[in-house]
Amino acid sequence: MNNEKKKKQPTATIVLDKLVFSCESTVEDNFNDVVEHDPNYILAHEFNFNNTKLERAQDPSKRYKHSFQVFYKGDLIGVIDFKPVGRLHSDLIRFTVCNEVFYKDRLKYVPHVLTDLNLQLHNFTRIDIALDCYKFNPEQEIRRNLRKKTNTIKLLGKYIEDRNQVIKEITYYNHGSLNNPYKIRTILIQNKKKTFETECYDKDEEIKESGKDYILEFHKLQNPQMKNLHRAEVRLKYEEIRRFIKKQKKPLTFDDLFNQQFLYNTFTKYLDRTITIYENQGKKKVKLSLSPIPVIQSPKGILQPTLPALISLSYNSDNKNFKFISNNNSEIIYKNNYNNKYTITDTSNDIFIYKLNNSNKIMNNIQTMQI
C-alpha cells in the first residue's frame, strides 16, 4: 500500500486527437468508379465486409455526395466520404477517424478496416497531436512569459524586437463571469499560411461543452489523482504534412502515429517552431520549458499492413479468372479458377468490391459442381 502511495503519477500524456486521411481503392470499379459511370445510382443503406460494416450517413458540410459511418466489430471507427460535389472526377476517398478511437485504443483497427474495404492509404490531410497536462498550465505559462519584458520571444522563427508591434499571428480568447471575465483563457498561434497552428486551452471546460466524457475516463486511467486538465495542441494540415514528410525523407505511416515517442517528438518540434521563449536576453538567455515531459509508453506492436491479404474481385463477365455459375434472385455464385472455391455476392451491394471468402462456411448450402 505504501508503494502505491509513493508511485509517481505522470504529469502529462501525449495523445493523437484528430486524424483525417485520403485513401484509394486497390481494385477497379470500387466506390467512385461506379458512381462516376452512373451518377444517379442509389446506394443501399448498409454494407458488410468481413469485420467492417458501413452505414449510410450525411456529410454535414455537404461537400461529398456519399458518406458512410464505418464500424469495426461493432465499434464506430470513423466516416468515409466520396464523390465530391462539383468535381467531375476524384478517385480519392476521405476517411475521418472518430475522436473516441484515440482514447479507447482502437486506432490499431484502422488498417484492418482498410483491408476489409480494399482501400490503401494515399496521404494524410490533418493530424492533431495534444499534450494533456494534469498540473502544468501551458496557456498560463505562455501568456505570463510573453508579458515579461525581460524575456526574449521567438515567434514562428523570428525574434520579436519591438514589444509594441501588433502580432496578428497570436489570438487571445477569454470568457467567464461578470466578476471574472478572464476566468477561462485560450491562446491560438497560427503561421501566416495557416498550414500549422498551436492552441493552448482549458480541456476540462471543452469536455463539459462537448460531452466527451471518455477523454476524462482515459486520463483517470493515466493519472487517478488528476484534478485538472490543460491542453497544448499542435495541428498540422495537408501542406505542412507534405513538407514534414519531405524533410524527414521517409513516408509517414500508421505505425508512426501509433508511436507515442514519435508523437511527442513531432509535438515538441512544432511547439518550438510556433513559439520559443527565453529568459533574459542576448548571450545570457536561457530557453524556458513551455510543457512538461510525458511518460512515453512503448508501441504495442507493429500494425497490420493496409494492403488486402485476400483476392479481390468484381462480378464482371470480362474477368476470366472467375466463372459465372448461377443467378438465384439477389445472389450470384462464382467459381474461382485459382483455387476451385466458390463465393456468393449479394447484388444489392454491387457498388462495392467483394473480397473472395475462401471459408468453408460459405459452402454449407452449395453442392460441389464441375464446370
Side-chain angles (χ1 to χ4, degrees):
M1 183 65 68
N2 291 332
N3 291 334
E4 291 181 4
K5 288 183 178 180
K6 293 180 179 179
K7 184 179 179 181
K8 189 176 180 180
Q9 300 296 335
T11 57
T13 302
I14 192 78
V15 292
L16 188 65
D17 188 70
K18 186 167 186 176
L19 181 62
V20 183
F21 58 90
S22 295
C23 44
E24 58 187 350
S25 175
T26 60
V27 293
E28 295 181 357
D29 300 325
N30 199 14
F31 293 103
N32 290 38
D33 193 64
V34 174
V35 177
E36 292 291 343
H37 286 85
D38 188 0
N40 296 319
Y41 194 95
I42 300 176
L43 304 186
H45 177 75
E46 185 179 300
F47 299 90
N48 289 279
F49 306 91
N50 295 329
N51 293 314
T52 301
K53 178 181 178 181
L54 301 181
E55 289 186 1
R56 175 167 279 285
Q58 186 173 5
D59 176 25
S61 67
K62 298 183 179 179
R63 292 173 53 197
Y64 291 84
K65 183 176 180 180
H66 301 289
S67 294
F68 285 87
Q69 288 185 312
V70 182
F71 296 85
Y72 184 78
K73 294 183 178 181
D75 293 325
L76 179 62
I77 301 300
V79 176
I80 59 170
D81 303 291
F82 57 101
K83 178 58 176 168
V85 176
R87 292 189 191 178
L88 294 178
H89 184 71
S90 177
D91 293 329
L92 297 181
I93 298 160
R94 183 178 71 173
F95 195 120
T96 304
V97 178
C98 174
N99 185 254
E100 196 169 350
V101 165
F102 308 116
Y103 300 93
K104 294 197 173 181
D105 194 28
R106 295 174 186 166
L107 181 62
K108 59 189 177 185
Y109 298 140
V110 171
H112 299 291
V113 169
L114 297 184
T115 298
D116 284 351
L117 298 178
N118 290 316
L119 298 174
Q120 65 182 359
L121 173 67
H122 184 270
N123 63 271
F124 294 99
T125 59
R126 176 71 181 263
I127 299 174
D128 292 2
I129 305 172
L131 185 72
D132 285 340
C133 312
Y134 305 126
K135 292 183 178 180
F136 189 91
N137 187 338
E139 186 279 332
Q140 185 182 69
E141 195 70 16
I142 291 175
R143 174 169 43 84
R144 179 186 297 160
N145 282 286
L146 284 175
R147 297 184 63 183
K148 193 173 182 180
K149 295 182 179 180
T150 56
N151 285 348
T152 300
I153 311 300
K154 187 177 182 181
L155 181 69
L156 297 167
K158 295 182 180 180
Y159 288 101
I160 305 297
E161 298 179 356
D162 181 5
R163 292 190 60 86
N164 292 318
Q165 172 188 343
V166 175
I167 303 173
K168 296 182 179 180
E169 290 80 12
I170 302 180
T171 304
Y172 302 88
Y173 299 95
N174 63 271
H175 61 281
S177 65
L178 293 177
N179 291 329
N180 186 3
Y182 302 101
K183 181 179 180 180
I184 300 171
R185 307 178 190 230
T186 298
I187 288 181
L188 174 65
I189 306 174
Q190 296 176 308
N191 68 335
K192 290 184 178 180
K193 295 182 179 180
K194 297 183 178 181
T195 57
F196 68 90
E197 63 189 34
T198 297
E199 186 171 22
C200 301
Y201 59 98
D202 186 332
K203 190 60 180 176
D204 281 323
E205 186 67 19
E206 194 271 341
I207 291 173
K208 290 177 184 177
E209 295 178 359
S210 64
K212 297 177 181 177
D213 293 334
Y214 54 83
I215 297 180
L216 286 179
E217 293 172 4
F218 168 82
H219 285 295
K220 283 292 185 181
L221 292 175
Q222 313 305 313
N223 185 347
Q225 299 177 9
M226 179 200 76
K227 294 182 180 180
N228 300 305
L229 195 59
H230 305 284
R231 170 167 290 191
E233 186 171 289
V234 297
R235 302 166 184 149
L236 311 182
K237 300 180 182 178
Y238 171 70
E239 295 83 357
E240 184 58 33
I241 295 171
R242 283 187 61 189
R243 191 205 69 81
F244 175 79
I245 292 173
K246 186 176 180 180
K247 188 171 182 179
Q248 73 169 2
K249 297 180 180 179
K250 77 178 190 68
L252 187 60
T253 67
F254 287 109
D255 288 329
D256 292 327
L257 300 181
F258 200 59
N259 187 320
Q260 286 192 342
Q261 187 63 59
F262 174 86
L263 294 178
Y264 181 63
N265 292 345
T266 305
F267 171 86
T268 54
K269 180 182 297 185
Y270 276 93
L271 180 61
D272 285 346
R273 279 192 66 190
T274 306
I275 187 167
T276 307
I277 301 178
Y278 300 90
E279 190 174 27
N280 300 321
Q281 300 175 356
K283 294 182 179 180
K284 295 183 179 181
K285 66 179 184 289
V286 178
K287 182 181 175 182
L288 296 176
S289 175
L290 301 179
S291 64
I293 300 175
V295 175
I296 303 297
Q297 298 179 358
S298 59
K300 297 179 181 179
I302 302 299
L303 299 181
Q304 295 297 316
T306 58
L307 292 177
L310 300 178
I311 300 172
S312 304
L313 71 152
S314 169
Y315 59 89
N316 187 333
S317 59
D318 295 331
N319 193 333
K320 297 180 180 179
N321 295 319
F322 301 92
K323 290 187 178 182
F324 174 77
I325 298 177
S326 66
N327 185 348
N328 180 14
N329 295 328
S330 65
E331 291 183 347
I332 292 181
I333 302 175
Y334 286 92
K335 180 182 179 184
N336 179 3
N337 287 341
Y338 286 128
N339 52 20
N340 205 35
K341 297 288 185 179
Y342 297 88
T343 186
I344 297 176
T345 62
D346 183 347
T347 58
S348 65
N349 294 353
D350 60 358
I351 186 171
F352 297 113
I353 300 304
Y354 302 91
K355 298 183 75 70
L356 184 62
N357 188 339
N358 290 326
S359 168
N360 290 330
K361 294 180 181 179
I362 204 168
M363 299 300 297
N364 289 341
N365 59 348
I366 301 179
Q367 295 182 351
T368 303
M369 57 184 72
Q370 299 293 329
I371 299 182

